[in-house]
Amino acid sequence: MKKQKSMTLTIPKHIAIILDGNGRWAKKRHLPRTYGHQVGVENIRKITIAASDLGVKALSVYAFSTENWKRPQAEVDFLMKLPEEFEKKFKDDFNEKDVKVMFSGRKTHLSPKNLEILERITKNTKDKKGIILNICFDYGSQIEITESVKIIAQDILDKKIKPEDIEPKHIEQNLYTKDLPKLDMLIRPSGEVRLSNFLLWQAAYAELYFCKTYWPAFSKKDLEKAIIDFNKRDRRYGGLKKK
Ligand code: IPE
Ligand code: IPE
Ligand code: MG
């Protein structure tokens, strides 16, 4: 990556990407939407390796939302086959790059076969020391926060905590991302400018970056552009501009 004049670039520790635009990417090429999903999954490998080479510590990718079940059954069925494909195709490259894979999302709606695959991938990579790839699959932020609130409600019933003592950290410690570095930057390719129920809590002070490229075409260069843009931001966290 070309350095900005004399500036040394700060690499965000934790980047999240909404993998959007697979369908439109395929449509533009007169191909079925599912082909877009296939190329989109391939791109997870490419961008994970690029992020790892750039020094990113954690990469969260939004691959299937709790709302995506509303899509036509044939498309949902296709998307539900992707974990299997992911496991088959990425093993060697990810091994080489020491990628630790984890999954965020509901475990109540996935097939036993998919749950087994997710568990196996997690178990097989748990001791890896490289980049953490957090795949958000059947993920929805509102459900994630709701589940955290339920745990706290039970803790109140069990007299482990009093309502007046609840702090943001108590919500946070039940989120899927509790062990990840704080989210620094959230990227949404494809031209849509919304979060679509992704990391709503975690994005409180993340820098948001939107670009037009569809996810299957999103390249290492696009990631670098986002990081350069990140370096131009003044992160004040409610305070005042740095001198
Ligand atoms: C993102 O691409 C993949 C999933 C949501 C599973 P889309 O399928 O949303 O593609 P567009 O937005 O229709 O182009
Ligand atoms: C968000 O994309 C979900 C994923 C990329 C997994 P969508 O395509 O589902 O979002 P909307 O419908 O444009 O908000
Ligand atoms: Mg979309």
Side-chain angles (χ1 to χ4, degrees):
M1 182 179 351
K2 262 197 224 140
K3 296 248 162 94
Q4 295 288 86
K5 287 184 189 144
S6 62
M7 190 169 82
T8 333
L9 284 172
T10 300
I11 302 296
K13 282 200 177 71
H14 183 182
I15 296 178
I17 310 181
I18 301 180
L19 311 183
D20 198 19
N22 294 351
R24 280 165 285 165
W25 179 89
K27 196 175 168 211
K28 232 176 95 181
R29 288 160 180 77
H30 309 286
L31 294 164
R33 289 178 58 81
T34 47
Y35 186 70
H37 294 317
Q38 195 113 30
V39 179
V41 169
E42 271 296 322
N43 209 31
I44 299 178
R45 170 190 8 217
K46 215 168 80 193
I47 296 302
T48 303
I49 291 170
S52 161
D53 290 346
L54 289 166
V56 175
K57 303 286 179 226
L59 178 69
S60 291
V61 295
Y62 201 10
F64 190 89
S65 77
T66 47
E67 287 71 38
N68 286 147
W69 296 99
K70 291 179 201 156
R71 296 192 176 192
Q73 194 57 44
E75 182 164 343
V76 170
D77 288 347
F78 186 88
L79 290 165
M80 285 301 138
K81 284 199 203 107
L82 295 177
E84 190 179 358
E85 181 148 331
F86 178 89
E87 186 183 35
K88 256 193 250 153
K89 283 195 176 162
F90 293 14
K91 234 188 223 153
D92 296 345
D93 283 356
F94 279 7
N95 242 333
E96 198 182 303
K97 288 281 170 187
D98 221 16
V99 180
K100 174 174 170 160
V101 184
M102 60 173 267
F103 292 90
S104 291
R106 279 192 301 205
K107 298 290 183 280
T108 44
H109 290 52
L110 298 175
S111 69
K113 185 179 171 186
N114 265 339
L115 286 175
E116 217 176 274
I117 295 172
L118 267 45
E119 252 175 55
R120 191 165 51 234
I121 297 174
T122 309
K123 195 170 139 252
N124 288 344
T125 64
K126 73 175 181 8
D127 297 323
K128 301 283 185 195
K129 299 281 181 272
I131 190 169
I132 299 171
L133 172 63
N134 172 33
I135 303 179
C136 301
F137 197 70
D138 201 16
Y139 173 88
S141 206
Q142 291 180 338
I143 284 184
E144 178 184 36
I145 297 167
T146 307
E147 287 304 318
S148 175
V149 170
K150 279 193 210 164
I151 294 170
I152 296 169
Q154 189 59 51
D155 285 347
I156 295 172
L157 290 176
D158 296 343
K159 308 244 178 298
K160 289 189 191 153
I161 191 164
K162 293 192 198 120
E164 59 270 30
D165 293 333
I166 298 169
E167 292 177 35
K169 69 171 185 209
H170 296 110
I171 307 251
E172 214 155 62
Q173 72 198 15
N174 300 321
L175 302 182
Y176 305 119
T177 51
K178 63 179 181 336
D179 296 323
L180 295 181
K182 279 217 174 320
L183 185 63
D184 290 313
M185 179 166 63
L186 191 151
I187 300 174
R188 183 164 194 162
S190 95
E192 305 298 352
V193 188
R194 55 174 167 261
L195 296 181
S196 302
N197 202 13
F198 190 42
L199 302 177
L200 302 182
W201 178 284
Q202 296 86 339
Y205 271 102
E207 296 300 327
L208 307 182
Y209 182 86
F210 299 95
C211 64
K212 293 258 189 303
T213 320
Y214 296 136
W215 169 248
F218 189 91
S219 64
K220 184 175 186 188
K221 263 214 159 53
D222 292 309
L223 181 64
E224 289 172 349
K225 258 197 228 163
I227 294 176
I228 288 167
D229 200 77
F230 174 83
N231 275 265
K232 293 180 189 151
R233 311 279 180 98
D234 182 33
R235 303 187 82 191
R236 292 187 294 277
Y237 301 94
L240 297 180
K241 202 170 164 50
K242 272 187 236 138
K243 287 262 156 55

